[in-house]
């Protein structure tokens, strides 16, 4: 095994030596490109440009260029052109190598690498934003809205103001609608309408956030988002659920989107309200049939996402709940209000009975006493005497009046 490995290494070294000596044997030298430059041409966009080496012999040879991106994201490719445009987050810098590739029949000859780099964007450490996230939505009018949120950097002073820009293709726009935190710092941005094309597939949205402060230089931050990967898909429309004998049938329409219905998949959520069992089924069509026990009651919801036409986005919200089956649930709010009303009435009735039995009402609300006579009688003795005399006179006068009445009655009869 060791001898076989040794022979293989010798053959590999011999092949490389022969290939390395071919240009010299052919009398051809490969020179690296010249005037290699990196230029920031837009937000998070770099133009790589170079020129062929004037000393390079081109007779009977095909010239191409190897391009190697070292940072921020490694990438390697070759091209016939003398320029290349790269979209990348540049806040931590950018570096690339390039070399000449000479092709003749099956022979490849390469020059040395030429290196160039962009320095990181200036700013104090830990002052740039963190936890940046963005979501897009397709509106009814077929435009795209954009919402981004972030957290201030740990080293950012309290007076830091952040400002957000987005770039899509050649269009760049600054945010005008911010949401602030308790320190009055911008931490959220909303675009009700953007220039993002909803019919495009997997195009990049560039987000650039810089800032200002009296006490520190705020370091900018950039991030790239695939427009379909951050799309919050709309809810399926016109969901209909009904029973056909022992089968549950459901139909719906695709979400608001320029993509055809074949580009979506769905999750069908079925919850048995009697047993508590639930099912989540993945479906690629716009209708569904399932056998169920119709003596039970169920709730049904549906949500959607991209499927095969583009990168998967965020699942939509669940559709409104639809109930099917026997003993269909009534409106829970109505039930709650009814229970509250009955409970309140019963409580008041019970309190009233208890108060009646224990005479609490008379204790809480005693009768109002009659007012006392605050003025003393100036002639108390005369009043008593007059009262006594009056009584005697009343007795005598009563006897006399009674005699007169009887006499008058006799005369009237006869």
């Amino acid at each position: 095994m060791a001898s076989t490995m040794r022979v293989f290494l010798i053959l590999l070294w011999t092949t490389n030596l022969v290939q390395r000596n071919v240009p010299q044997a052919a009398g051809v030298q490969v020179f690296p490109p010249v005037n290699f430059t990196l230029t920031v041409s837009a937000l998070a966009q770099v133009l790589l440009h170079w020129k062929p080496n004037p000393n390079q012999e081109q007779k009977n040879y095909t010239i191409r260029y190897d391009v190697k991106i070292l940072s921020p994201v490694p990438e390697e490719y070759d091209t016939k052109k003398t320029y290349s445009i790269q979209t990348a987050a540049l806040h931590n810098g950018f570096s690339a190598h390039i070399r000449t590739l000479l092709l003749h029949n099956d022979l490849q000859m390469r020059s040395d690498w030429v290196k160039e780099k962009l320095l990181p964007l200036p700013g104090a450490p830990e002052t740039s934003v963190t936890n940046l996230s963005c979501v897009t939505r397709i509106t009814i009018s077929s435009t795209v809205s954009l919402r981004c949120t972030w957290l201030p950097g740990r080293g950012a002073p309290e007076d830091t103001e952040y400002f957000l820009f987005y770039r899509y293709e050649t269009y760049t726009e600054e945010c005008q609608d911010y949401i602030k935190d308790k320190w009055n710092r911008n931490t959220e941005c909303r675009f009700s309408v953007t220039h993002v094309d909803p019919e495009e597939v997997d195009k990049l949205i560039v987000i650039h956030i810089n800032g200002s402060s009296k006490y520190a230089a705020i370091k900018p931050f950039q991030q790239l988002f695939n427009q379909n990967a951050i799309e919050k898909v709309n809810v399926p429309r016109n969901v209909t659920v009904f029973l056909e004998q022992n089968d549950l049938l459901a139909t719906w329409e695709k979400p608001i989107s320029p993509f055809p219905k074949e580009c979506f998949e769905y999750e069908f959520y079925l919850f048995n309200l009697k047993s508590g069992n639930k099912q989540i089924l993945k479906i690629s069509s716009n209708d569904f049939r399932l056998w169920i026990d119709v003596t039970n009651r169920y709730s049904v919801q549906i949500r959607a996402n991209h499927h095969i036409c583009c990168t998967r986005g965020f699942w939509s919200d669940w559709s409104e709940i639809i109930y099917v089956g026997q003993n269909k649930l009534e409106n829970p709010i109505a039930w709650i209000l009814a229970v509250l009303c009955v409970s309140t009435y019963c409580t008041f009735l019970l309190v009233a009975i208890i108060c009646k039995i224990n005479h609490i009402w008379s204790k809480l609300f005693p009768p109002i006493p009659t007012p006392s006579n605050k003025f003393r009688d100036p002639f108390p003795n005369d009043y008593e005497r007059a009262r006594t005399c009056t009584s005697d006179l009343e007795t005598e006068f009563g006897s006399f009046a009674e005699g007169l009445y009887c006499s008058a009655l006799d005369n009237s009869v006869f």
Side-chain angles (χ1 to χ4, degrees), residues 245-277:
Q245 296 181 354
N246 290 333
D247 288 344
L248 181 148
L249 278 72
T251 62
W252 58 89
E253 296 180 11
K254 75 177 184 70
I256 295 174
S257 172
F259 296 124
K261 64 180 182 179
E262 294 80 15
C263 293
F264 294 92
E265 68 174 347
Y266 304 92
E267 284 190 344
F268 187 90
Y269 178 77
L270 181 68
F271 181 68
N272 189 320
L273 298 171
K274 184 177 181 180
S275 67
N277 294 330

Side-chain angles (χ1 to χ4, degrees), residues 169-375:
E169 297 292 319
T170 60
Y171 190 87
T172 301
E173 184 177 358
E174 181 180 1
C175 180
Q176 303 296 326
D177 183 11
Y178 289 104
I179 305 297
K180 298 179 180 291
D181 64 5
K182 61 181 180 181
W183 289 284
N184 204 36
R185 297 180 295 190
N186 297 334
T187 56
E188 182 177 338
C189 167
R190 297 178 180 177
F191 293 90
S192 58
V193 178
T194 65
H195 285 73
V196 176
D197 186 351
E199 297 184 7
E200 289 289 350
V201 175
D202 296 340
K203 292 281 188 178
L204 291 177
I205 300 175
V206 174
I207 301 297
H208 173 96
I209 302 179
N210 56 24
S212 63
S213 169
K214 295 179 182 179
Y215 307 103
I218 306 303
K219 186 179 179 65
F221 180 81
Q222 295 179 346
Q223 190 166 340
L224 312 181
F225 295 97
N226 181 308
Q227 72 174 75
N228 302 119
I230 63 171
E231 179 185 338
K232 177 77 170 180
V233 179
N234 288 305
V235 179
R237 298 172 296 165
N238 299 330
V239 180
T240 303
V241 181
F242 57 94
L243 295 178
E244 188 177 276
Q245 296 181 354
N246 290 333
D247 288 344
L248 181 148
L249 278 72
T251 62
W252 58 89
E253 296 180 11
K254 75 177 184 70
I256 295 174
S257 172
F259 296 124
K261 64 180 182 179
E262 294 80 15
C263 293
F264 294 92
E265 68 174 347
Y266 304 92
E267 284 190 344
F268 187 90
Y269 178 77
L270 181 68
F271 181 68
N272 189 320
L273 298 171
K274 184 177 181 180
S275 67
N277 294 330
K278 61 183 179 180
Q279 290 178 279
I280 298 181
L281 306 171
K282 288 191 179 294
I283 305 168
S284 57
S285 62
N286 288 64
D287 53 67
F288 182 66
R289 177 186 290 265
L290 179 69
W291 183 90
I292 62 171
D293 183 357
V294 294
T295 62
N296 292 339
R297 55 190 180 185
Y298 301 85
S299 67
V300 173
Q301 289 178 285
I302 301 173
R303 65 178 182 175
N305 203 343
H306 299 145
H307 183 36
I308 57 175
C309 298
C310 59
T311 302
R312 180 187 295 272
F314 297 116
W315 281 97
S316 73
D317 295 328
W318 289 103
S319 62
E320 293 185 1
I321 298 176
I322 299 177
Y323 296 101
V324 293
Q326 292 186 1
N327 300 323
K328 184 177 177 181
L329 273 182
E330 301 293 337
N331 188 343
I333 296 178
W335 274 106
I336 292 172
L337 292 177
V339 171
L340 286 176
C341 291
V342 173
S343 301
T344 303
Y345 175 78
C346 293
T347 301
F348 277 113
L349 184 60
L350 180 62
V351 170
I353 293 173
I354 293 173
C355 292
K356 182 69 175 177
I357 293 174
N358 296 294
H359 306 288
I360 295 178
W361 294 121
S362 60
K363 295 178 182 179
L364 293 176
F365 307 103
I368 301 175
T370 57
S372 60
N373 186 4
K374 296 183 180 181
F375 302 97

Side-chain angles (χ1 to χ4, degrees), residues 46 69-75 86-95 224:
V46 179
I69 308 299
L70 301 180
S71 65
V73 180
E75 183 182 358
Q86 283 286 315
T87 300
L90 303 178
H91 56 275
N92 287 328
F94 183 92
S95 63
L224 312 181

